Amino acid sequence: MAERAKPGAGPAATAVVPGAGSRRRGWVLAGVAVVVGGVLGFHHLVPNWPGRMGSLLESFLPWGGVLVVVLLVVALVRRSAVALVALLLPVGLWVDTFGGLLLPREESGGGRELVVVQHNVSDENRDPAGTARALIDAEADLVALEELVEPQVAAYEKALSADYPHHVVRGTVGLWSKHPLSGERVVDIKPPSIEEGWSRGVRAVVHSPYGDVAAYVAHLPSVRVGMGGLASQRRDDSAALLGSAIASERVEPLVLLGDLNGVVEDRGLRPLTSQLDVAESGFAFSFPAAFPLARIDQVMARSATVGRIRTLPATGSDHLPVVARVALR
């Protein structure tokens, strides 16, 4: 509470200035609101050093909306008009960036479209057969799986074979399809710093009822958050290699399914997001399954539109499966 000395009085004589402290707090809230708005609107200007702080910020950018709500509540409690006006900036920028993901999208259930499922099944999954049954319930055309290891891979092949007679597995990633496949090959996305024997990319051509579709399945290297920031160099290098492979692909349309260990706002995935469309609707936070904070399991496409993306119920994995409809152009 601010005080002011009375005219003609000694140092000990003071008078209260009503509301001065509240006004100061209102301006502080307004300043915080402007900073939050600046981060939401200009996150791409945040330097990625040290510790890839830009990528780290972008990984949790949607959660900036929670901070905006908290500021809004405080401003209402304080009855601060200046803070409420300032909050129009972050609210508008958040809505502009993420508001479209909240809008419902009609799922036509027909036309030139494929239903696709993406799931990192976890190499520690103790119930691969149960996981497979849960994925079958989605009635997808394509199912992409990562972290396929023996002996679990045999269990997936057995459980999925009746509904998905065509499949390819290379390394620890695989694609199951209701439609015939051809042109199966490994996609080399191994960063230079990883030893030989690491194989996490596969490509195949799906002969769908609507024509050929190039399908890529990838599992980019993991990232870690530590005292030094975000350790994502390997992920970024792998994304660049995958981006180059996709850029040279001649079959159209193209669909990319994978655990990319990054959100679509993360600049580390720009080699992919710069040339592929992402989901138009749905947050579909997929990791960690116990308390999902981010969608790192992605569906992207070229010459096709990814509609609403959503999660499926939890399986024996630490990821949630995601499902989307891909409309072919």
Side-chain angles (χ1 to χ4, degrees), residues 16-326:
V16 174
V17 179
S22 296
R23 286 196 297 271
R24 278 200 300 270
R25 287 190 290 270
W27 281 105
V28 170
L29 283 173
V32 174
V34 170
V35 171
V36 172
V39 170
L40 287 171
F42 303 98
H43 57 88
H44 58 283
L45 298 180
V46 177
N48 218 20
W49 50 267
R52 283 181 160 71
M53 296 308 295
S55 282
L56 180 59
L57 171 67
E58 290 160 344
S59 297
F60 299 99
L61 203 60
W63 293 99
V66 175
L67 181 55
V68 173
V69 171
V70 171
L71 291 173
L72 180 60
V73 171
V74 174
L76 290 172
V77 171
R78 297 289 185 185
R79 298 181 180 179
S80 172
V82 67
L84 289 171
V85 171
L87 277 165
L88 293 175
L89 175 65
V91 168
L93 289 169
W94 191 93
V95 170
D96 180 65
T97 304
F98 300 108
L101 297 178
L102 296 174
L103 298 176
R105 301 279 177 172
E106 182 179 354
E107 296 185 355
S108 64
R112 288 173 48 83
E113 67 177 21
L114 298 175
V115 178
V116 300
V117 165
Q118 150 59 30
H119 191 28
N120 179 326
V121 294
S122 174
D123 55 7
E124 298 179 353
N125 193 324
R126 297 183 178 181
D127 185 20
T131 296
R133 287 193 297 271
L135 300 179
I136 291 171
D137 289 343
E139 299 182 343
D141 294 276
L142 304 176
V143 175
L145 305 182
E146 298 83 45
E147 293 199 12
L148 293 170
V149 295
E150 294 293 352
Q152 290 96 324
V153 64
Y156 290 111
E157 289 175 332
K158 179 178 179 181
L160 293 170
S161 61
D163 293 88
Y164 297 92
H166 314 282
H167 83 282
V168 55
V169 175
R170 295 290 187 273
T172 58
V173 299
L175 176 69
W176 274 257
S177 173
K178 289 183 178 296
H179 314 298
L181 301 176
S182 68
E184 303 94 331
R185 61 175 171 81
V186 169
V187 180
D188 184 7
I189 58 172
K190 183 181 72 65
S193 58
I194 294 182
E195 297 179 356
E196 294 296 331
W198 188 96
S199 180
R200 292 187 179 184
V202 67
R203 174 262 193 195
V205 175
V206 180
H207 301 291
S208 81
Y210 320 110
D212 291 350
V213 178
Y216 282 70
V217 181
H219 183 190
L220 302 189
S222 299
V223 300
R224 295 288 184 269
V225 179
M227 295 298 294
L230 186 71
S232 64
Q233 182 64 56
R234 287 179 170 178
R235 191 278 311 271
D236 296 351
D237 291 344
S238 189
L241 292 169
L242 179 57
S244 296
I246 287 174
S248 63
E249 177 62 60
R250 295 295 174 258
V251 176
E252 300 282 351
L254 179 149
V255 177
L256 168 63
L257 309 165
D259 174 4
L260 304 186
N261 272 302
V263 300
V264 296
E265 294 80 20
D266 189 335
R267 67 193 68 182
L269 297 187
R270 280 181 187 167
L272 303 172
T273 55
S274 63
Q275 56 178 320
L276 299 175
D277 293 333
V278 300
E280 295 182 339
S281 175
F283 282 98
F285 293 156
S286 63
F287 183 83
F291 189 78
L293 293 172
R295 185 178 81 236
I296 62 175
D297 296 274
Q298 306 293 353
V299 177
M300 302 182 184
R302 188 171 69 202
S303 298
T305 301
V306 183
R308 180 172 178 261
I309 190 169
R310 59 184 176 87
T311 56
L312 296 174
T315 65
S317 172
D318 55 345
H319 291 242
L320 294 177
V322 299
V323 59
R325 291 182 180 274
V326 179

